[in-house]
Amino acid sequence: MAEKIIINDVGPRDGLQNQEKILSPEQRLSLINKLIEAGVRDIEVGAFVSPKAVPAMAGTDVVAAGLPKGDFGFSALIPNRKGYDLAKMAGINTMGLVIAASNTMNEKNVRMSTDQALLVCEDVLTQAKQDGMKVIAYVATAWECPFEGLTDEQVVIDIVGKLFSYGAQEVILADTIGAASPGQVKSLMSKLVAEYGAERLSCHFHDTRGMGVADVYAAVECGIRKFDASIGGLGGCPFAPGASGNVATEDVVLMLNQMGFDTGIDLAKLAEAADLAAELTGNCDGGNASRWIKRQIEKGELATAS
Amino acid sequence: MAEKIIINDVGPRDGLQNQEKILSPEQRLSLINKLIEAGVRDIEVGAFVSPKAVPAMAGTDVVAAGLPKGDFGFSALIPNRKGYDLAKMAGINTMGLVIAASNTMNEKNVRMSTDQALLVCEDVLTQAKQDGMKVIAYVATAWECPFEGLTDEQVVIDIVGKLFSYGAQEVILADTIGAASPGQVKSLMSKLVAEYGAERLSCHFHDTRGMGVADVYAAVECGIRKFDASIGGLGGCPFAPGASGNVATEDVVLMLNQMGFDTGIDLAKLAEAADLAAELTGNCDGGNASRWIKRQIEKGELATAS
């Protein structure tokens, strides 16, 4: 039996939030459904944030209402209690709560210091526990901040510990600006795994410096078995200058499938989802392996990737 | 003191041999000199192969005659004794001898079985020892062959042992078609390092499936401290269908410099070499990190990559 690795596709949120072209909830749902067809079970379907700040995420409640029923891990990003309440009202049951490891990033993102943002996290997590909601907590700029530079590992380790103590079911270490080398990933993740175990940890990488796939591999070597990735490599963060391109789901799935892990995802159908992402946004080149994947599909040879 | 990693840029050979546009020896030398300006000391400058089969490598003797003097590791690819004699006559003192791990690949490449090709290697290496020449021996299709599929690790381990026993100073494991996952790299390289030590081993990856940089990382983790890479990601092998794009030198150097290794290579100057490769060939997009590298240069911020 192959060991499972869970892929959480964040394309419908992280991938779309910074696009010039704003998609309708129906278009967003069509992308989500295409991902589901490919075997993706965990999807970040949107965000409950200010529609003024991030207009592309307006209507996430409509997206939520249109989601298929079943055993899926649909999550939505929430920055605070208001986002939590809106997400809960929309019927979302996995909340993606975000805090940055860097003080300046928290100030820029949510106009709070890290300590203030931690209080918000505690409040949301306490409420979520009462409501029986699942919260997965993101630690943004876990390796480097565009404003403060390299992040102190101990700061991250402490924040992760606090999030768990507040009741987070899972913590996701996010390399928001795609700055981490696999060596840095190994360094931080091995410490976090030693401290908290691999089961409740996940990673989120961008391919800005061409190291996204290597970063995933480094984290796999540390025992991590859940990853964010974005269909077609869509992505970027409006508040993080220099952030561009999440690591592409197809690149990650190709590597993991080939390494013998069970992602449950069909690469040929995933390529169709990447095509749809390109068609909808007009701004998606696909992952680094997309040309190879397409050629294999044309030749009817995707054997090593199944 | 940072640990050294040697980068051998194979762009002027592996990168150019399969281009539609054939460069003059002067153009090839201009690319070599640009690499040297960036701090690259090891360069595969050409090949002594049939000019009919690989017209782009005709005139490698002219390239050799125009090389700067100094403490460089200039090598040329040779398929056999004739290539050896021509390379020696041209003043090359490091020979890149090639044999494939797969029988069919040897048949297609040099019209010999693996056993016959090993006899050729033994002959060339015996002569090289007498002549005091350095030979670095390539094992092509070390992970997968486009004709035979996955390569048996024991076959590779045995060929590497024979090459060392014949007198090769170094053996380079080449993923000729860019098929290996980092998991497969770790599996083979850890066995080879256990058997022969890391000092005499090197790796050569292609980025066909978007795993080139991850493969380099996996090999670094096994103790490998010398890598082939190709400026701008130029590359491909005329005899290996599906092989496209060596792992880009700039992507590898960015990662290794950031991980604290001393490559001796300046990324900003390397970007100039990639620009020249693009200008000369009209067919070079640069590595996956090239957009990021250019933006950093424009902003005067290449601090993390120095």
Side-chain angles (χ1 to χ4, degrees):
Chain A
M1 276 281 286
E3 198 179 347
K4 280 189 193 304
I5 288 191
I6 294 172
I7 299 297
N8 179 42
D9 199 297
V10 299
R13 197 279 303 173
D14 205 4
L16 294 181
Q17 69 178 6
N18 203 21
Q19 296 290 325
E20 211 174 304
K21 198 165 162 191
I22 292 179
L23 304 193
S24 69
E26 291 69 32
Q27 289 174 312
R28 291 155 66 187
L29 276 166
S30 71
L31 183 59
I32 290 165
N33 285 319
K34 206 76 177 165
L35 289 167
I36 290 170
E37 277 176 39
V40 183
R41 309 291 295 177
D42 292 71
I43 302 173
E44 191 182 33
V45 298
F48 290 92
V49 291
S50 156
K52 263 192 213 160
V54 191
M57 289 296 106
T60 295
D61 52 338
V62 181
V63 172
L67 291 170
K69 307 296 167 210
D71 185 25
F72 299 106
F74 295 132
S75 62
L77 188 140
I78 59 166
N80 49 32
R81 178 62 180 271
K82 189 180 169 193
Y84 174 85
D85 291 336
L86 289 170
K88 188 181 146 196
M89 218 184 321
I92 292 288
N93 51 28
T94 300
M95 310 296 180
L97 185 62
V98 184
I99 183 169
S102 119
N103 211 60
T104 312
M105 192 65 180
N106 284 315
E107 295 280 1
K108 297 259 180 187
N109 219 341
V110 290
R111 298 185 190 182
M112 281 185 269
S113 68
T114 300
D115 284 344
Q116 290 171 313
L118 277 167
L119 289 177
V120 170
C121 289
E122 186 174 16
D123 173 53
V124 170
L125 279 155
T126 304
Q127 185 62 47
K129 195 184 272 178
Q130 288 177 22
D131 296 343
M133 290 284 181
K134 184 175 177 186
V135 178
I136 58 177
Y138 282 87
V139 180
T141 63
W143 283 273
E144 188 170 331
C145 166
F147 311 108
E148 294 189 7
L150 291 177
T151 305
D152 186 315
E153 288 186 336
Q154 195 54 51
V155 169
V156 178
I157 294 166
D158 291 346
I159 291 174
V160 172
K162 281 179 183 157
L163 291 168
F164 281 135
S165 76
Y166 300 157
Q169 279 88 346
E170 180 187 320
V171 175
I172 301 159
L173 288 303
D175 182 19
T176 313
I177 57 167
S181 72
Q184 291 166 277
V185 170
K186 179 186 177 182
S187 176
L188 178 61
M189 294 315 296
S190 60
K191 293 184 182 86
L192 287 169
V193 167
E195 189 77 23
Y196 307 111
E199 299 72 21
R200 295 182 295 167
L201 296 170
S202 172
C203 288
H204 172 112
F205 296 115
H206 285 242
D207 202 29
T208 317
R209 301 189 192 185
M211 295 190 256
V213 167
D215 289 341
V216 170
Y217 173 71
V220 167
E221 286 286 286
C222 293
I224 302 301
R225 295 294 179 265
K226 189 173 175 202
F227 292 93
D228 281 8
S230 175
I231 185 68
L234 282 174
C237 168
F239 305 109
S244 71
N246 289 66
V247 65
T249 309
E250 55 268 42
D251 289 353
V252 174
V253 168
L254 171 62
M255 177 176 76
L256 296 177
N257 283 2
Q258 194 176 318
M259 282 174 63
F261 289 103
D262 172 17
T263 61
I265 298 174
D266 181 299
L267 257 184
K269 287 186 183 158
L270 198 61
E272 292 176 24
D275 284 345
L276 180 62
E279 187 190 315
L280 291 172
T281 63
N283 179 33
C284 175
D285 294 333
N288 300 326
S290 57
R291 269 185 302 178
W292 180 83
I293 292 169
K294 284 197 177 173
R295 200 167 53 225
Q296 297 307 108
I297 292 170
E298 281 162 20
K299 286 160 58 186
E301 292 174 10
L302 211 51
T304 56
S306 65
Chain B
M1 275 281 285
E3 198 179 348
K4 281 190 193 302
I5 288 191
I6 295 172
I7 299 297
N8 179 42
D9 199 298
V10 300
R13 197 279 303 174
D14 205 5
L16 294 181
Q17 70 177 9
N18 203 21
Q19 295 291 324
E20 211 174 305
K21 199 166 165 189
I22 291 179
L23 305 193
S24 70
E26 292 69 31
Q27 289 174 313
R28 291 155 65 187
L29 277 166
S30 70
L31 183 59
I32 290 165
N33 285 320
K34 206 76 177 164
L35 288 167
I36 291 170
E37 278 175 39
V40 183
R41 310 290 295 176
D42 292 70
I43 302 174
E44 192 182 31
V45 299
F48 289 92
V49 290
S50 156
K52 263 192 212 160
V54 192
M57 288 295 105
T60 294
D61 52 340
V62 181
V63 172
L67 291 171
K69 308 292 168 214
D71 184 25
F72 298 107
F74 294 131
S75 62
L77 187 140
I78 58 166
N80 51 31
R81 179 62 181 272
K82 189 180 170 193
Y84 173 85
D85 291 336
L86 289 170
K88 190 181 143 194
M89 217 185 321
I92 292 288
N93 52 26
T94 301
M95 310 295 180
L97 185 62
V98 184
I99 183 169
S102 119
N103 209 60
T104 312
M105 192 67 181
N106 284 314
E107 294 281 2
K108 297 260 180 187
N109 219 342
V110 290
R111 297 181 192 187
M112 281 186 270
S113 68
T114 300
D115 284 343
Q116 289 170 314
L118 277 167
L119 289 177
V120 170
C121 288
E122 187 175 14
D123 173 53
V124 170
L125 279 156
T126 304
Q127 185 62 48
K129 197 185 271 178
Q130 288 176 23
D131 296 344
M133 290 284 182
K134 183 175 177 185
V135 178
I136 58 177
Y138 281 87
V139 181
T141 61
W143 282 273
E144 189 171 329
C145 166
F147 310 108
E148 294 189 8
L150 291 178
T151 305
D152 186 317
E153 289 187 336
Q154 196 54 51
V155 169
V156 178
I157 294 166
D158 292 345
I159 291 174
V160 172
K162 282 178 183 158
L163 293 168
F164 281 135
S165 76
Y166 300 157
Q169 277 88 346
E170 180 186 319
V171 175
I172 301 159
L173 287 303
D175 182 19
T176 312
I177 56 166
S181 72
Q184 291 166 276
V185 171
K186 179 186 177 184
S187 176
L188 178 61
M189 294 314 297
S190 60
K191 292 184 182 87
L192 287 169
V193 167
E195 190 76 22
Y196 307 111
E199 300 71 24
R200 295 183 294 168
L201 296 170
S202 172
C203 289
H204 172 112
F205 296 115
H206 285 242
D207 202 30
T208 317
R209 301 190 192 185
M211 294 189 256
V213 167
D215 289 341
V216 171
Y217 173 71
V220 168
E221 286 287 286
C222 293
I224 302 301
R225 295 294 179 266
K226 188 172 175 203
F227 293 93
D228 281 7
S230 175
I231 186 66
L234 282 175
C237 167
F239 305 110
S244 70
N246 289 64
V247 65
T249 309
E250 54 268 40
D251 289 353
V252 174
V253 169
L254 171 62
M255 177 177 76
L256 296 177
N257 284 2
Q258 194 176 319
M259 281 173 63
F261 289 102
D262 173 15
T263 61
I265 298 174
D266 182 300
L267 257 185
K269 287 185 183 158
L270 198 61
E272 292 176 23
D275 285 345
L276 180 62
E279 188 190 316
L280 291 171
T281 64
N283 180 32
C284 174
D285 294 334
N288 299 327
S290 57
R291 271 185 302 177
W292 180 83
I293 293 169
K294 285 197 175 173
R295 198 167 55 225
Q296 297 308 108
I297 292 169
E298 281 163 20
K299 287 159 61 186
E301 292 175 13
L302 211 50
T304 56
S306 66

